[in-house]
Amino acid sequence: MASGASIGQLLVVLSIQTIICHGAELALAGNVPTVLEDLSGLAGQEVSVPCSVDVATCGDFHSVKWYRESQRVFVYSELANLERSEGSLTNRARFVLSSNETQAGLKISSLQLSDEGLYRCEITYLEINEGCPVVQYVNLTVLAAPDYVEILLEDGKTSAAIRNVSRIGPFNEGTIVTLLCRSGGGRPVPRIEWWNGSHIMEADEVVATQEDNGAVTGINRLQIALSRQDLDAQWQCRVRSPALSSPLVANLRIDVHVKPTNVTLTGLDTAVTEGTAVVVYCVADGARPAAAITWYNDSSPLQKSAVETTQLQPEDEAEVVEQSDGTFSTRSRLIFTLNRHDHRRYITCRAGNTVTDDLQHKPVQASQLLRVEYAPTVAVSPENVTVNETMDVLIFCTYDANPVTLTSVQWFKDDVEIIINGPHKYEGATIDQPALLLKKATRDDAGAYSCRLTNAVGTGHSENVAFISVQYPAEVRLVMEPELPVNELERPNITLNCQVSSGYPPVLLGVRWYLDGELLKELPDCPLNETITSFSMYDEDLCDVDPSKLLLEYVGRSFQGNYSCEGMNAAGWGPPSEVETLVIYYPPGNTTLTYEPDVVVKDGPLTLTCGVSDVGQPAVTQYRWTRNGHVIPEISDAQWNVSQVTLNYQANYSCTPVNEAGEGETATIEIEVFAEPTFIERLPLTSGALSDAADATKLSCRAECYPLCQIDWFRNGIPIRESPMYTVVDSFVPENIKFNQHQSVKSSLSFNMRMWSQAKLDPIADTANYTCITTDNVVGDGVSSTTFFTVEYAPTTAIIDNPTIEVEEGSIVGQLECSASSYPLANYYWQHNHQIIGNGPRLTLDYGLSRDKTGEYSCIAHNQHGNTSAKAFINVVFKPECSITLREMEGKTRLICEVHANPKLVDFMWMLNNATLTTDIVHMGLQSVLTIDGPAPTSGIYYCHANNSVGFGTPCEISVEGGLLAKLGDENIIIIAIIAAAIVVILVVCIVLLVICRRQRTDDKSVSATGPSTKNGNDNLSENSKAFYENLPFHGLQTAPNKMNPLMSSTKSTSMNDPQLQQRAWTPRSLAPVHTSAYDPPKQQAQSHHAPSSRFPANTNHASYKQAGSTVYADLSISCTAELKPHQNEISPTEYAVLQFMNGGQEVQV
């Protein structure tokens, strides 16, 4: 650093000498004085290099030039209009002149370190004037503030910058740390210092290095050995420079780790009773990082589950004062329960951290002695003692306790305390001598002995027991394996076990086995001594065996009996056991199978019996029956009773007796079922054939019988033997078990019609009784079957009692009756206009006929062989009905009266008002024409009267306008017609509105039940309804007479609310179109009656309907109050029906 300063001073001196020499030259040349000045500036800022000019004294100047060292950097000439920066100052320098023109300057912007040097200003005046300085020197020094300050960690080889880190470490105490503080980018060389808080630290001198851009970098090195005094220390590197207003600083904290300073242990000041929970605290202070505490019981570490450790850090408010140096205080709590084994042991707390581990120092520790008081730990000895009865036994009771002084001694046998009353039975058992002496032991003294000792702390029971075994002879019981009973068929092995129920030792050394009180075997079967070998009677295989077990192999029924045993142990032979009976099961034997009766007849009884001579062990419980090899599960008794034998009982039978041991022998038998003669197919009670049936007539019967029988035929009791008129064919039919039919004979009797007269049957002569009779067989008598044979033919000669009828419209015809000859009897039905209108021989027309009922009525008689028919004609006559039309032809007015009548022979009469007209009238059949020449002379009403043999019909009329109307002409008449048409349209609209209103009211109308009406036809309608009815297109039809159905003439009018009538009412049929004339007879016969109303006659039924397109459908129920007899199939249509046309809202009574 000193050398650097010397170099700088040398450069300044040389520069000054150069300036002086150059100035001297100038001065010698021009005798011009020189000026020398020092100037400094900050890099990056602006600086003005001065140059004094004295215009007032020296006059104007031509130009000013600046040189840095020997290089020109700027030139200025106002006269030459020139201002230019050159070299390193290009574009960074400008000329300035003070306002009084005494001071010029070169202002340099963005000052750089390279701009430093000696600047020379040369002034060229327009006039040479001695005493005016023309050369001036300025020494410019550029100052630069350091760019940065950083701390580096030196590890001996390299240096790494610590950036953005406020703390380094951790370092263990004693570690030597070397740090470098570096600052650069400025000039001159900065001053670098290390500080610890408010104290400066000793460090090396600053080492400077020159940078390429002229800046200088300085480095200061600090090396220090860390100690506990450096805990939580904050170090700072400070950089000072003339270019800085305040120093640059870099802060750093050193994380120093130190080991614990001391350990304290508290909580074990006094003796502790065994089983007491103890809490011991261990605190380790002065460690960073926190110390880890380990507990030891003597030299064995304790489980972590017993240790609770907390770390007391400096941040805890309660510990701030005590741990201000940044170390940790670690407290560990040991919770454990002391036992007797901990007595006189040491509990130790050891504290260590990473510092002790890294430096391999021993952990800091503290120890304390444990003092434990505990109850006695007791043991008895010896643990096993075997004696015979009447011997003495001594049992010791040893213990370990703190304190060792006992307060009580107790002895137990099998956990029951022994009461020591005196020296007769027991001795000892005191606090000075806890051992127990048992005198003259008996079998009852055998058991487990233990002792209990007590001191000041508590009571201890012996951890073991002393078993005393007292030997005495064994008492035994006999057990058989497997469980009884056993099955002989399985050929089992039976093991007899002689088990000790009481006695000691329980091991049997010998056993004697008995069967029914006699010695069966003694085990083991060994020689009595070693000298008796070749001639002694013993079984070598039974010598080394368990004598308590005796094996019976392949047991059968002969092994049954009463078994017992007696055993010997070390104490001698004991008493014999209770007797056990060995039960052997075996199946039944000697099976037989019989049946009754000896001859089995179909539909008769049958009893099968299965017998056994040996019922087995246990006795037979059920029997298994089979039929043709198939098991019959529902039969399990010894007898199988059948109340009614069917054909499937003809089979092979077997029975097998069964008990718990298994199945006995099987017995089999074959049963044959007989059948007495019985008809399977009998002759019908009646039979017949057509007279011309050719050879199709045949009678047959079929009889079941076994053994087989034969069938003979008889006619009216006379045998039919070989006759050319008959053929008899017999055939054999095999049995059919499915239908329970035995073998049968079928016999057919055929009529050879070619042998009959005219090859036909006579209905009278050939009617007879035919009989088939069977012969007897060994199990029954023969049977017979008879049929009454008749000759059948189709109906012939049908006759109607009244073939031609003429009736006035509305009148009642009554009945038509039809009859025909046939067999079987014929059935009848009636047709009109190709529609069926009734069934049965009688057609009842008990209602007023309308004109459309005129026509031919056919009766068809039929049976299964054919049909025939007869016809009747009904002519319905009625009075003429007329209508008048007016026609204008050739200037004449013609009134044409047309009638519809039956008969069609009609007479006409014309009237004008009340006057009869006789001229200009022409009658042509059913027309009459009245001709008026020209227009009618007068206005009036023309009447047309028509009559035939039935009577006068209702006259028809037409109003004709004459006079003025006739003169109006055609055009006026057209106008009048248009007006009349408008009036008609208005009337139609009114009628439509009226119809709509009536439709809304008539939907919910019902027939009133006020009793029978005394009026007929339209008289039943109300006045409004009658007036409305007369405006309908049906007006003019004759009112239907109020005629009652003869079947209802004696019946009172009854409300349909009567439940009995509701039950007898007709069931409505499916809907049919009203316009069809088809007659659909009802499916059943019943009674229906509706209550009369003011609008409908009594006994009138109402129709239900629905509309489909333009066709109205109605269903008419039948009115009937008298029950019909079976042969009365004719049903008359209802007299009245109401059809409601919903589109028009009108009701029409037809």
Side-chain angles (χ1 to χ4, degrees), residues 113 122 417 589 704 842:
L113 292 178
E122 293 183 359
E417 185 178 1
E704 175 188 44
R842 295 180 183 85

Side-chain angles (χ1 to χ4, degrees), residues 1098-1125:
N1099 305 316
T1100 300
N1101 294 318
H1102 297 168
S1104 61
Y1105 68 91
K1106 64 179 180 178
Q1107 183 172 354
S1110 60
T1111 302
V1112 176
Y1113 289 82
D1115 182 21
L1116 305 182
S1117 59
I1118 305 303
S1119 174
C1120 180
T1121 58
E1123 289 194 18
L1124 298 177
K1125 296 181 180 180

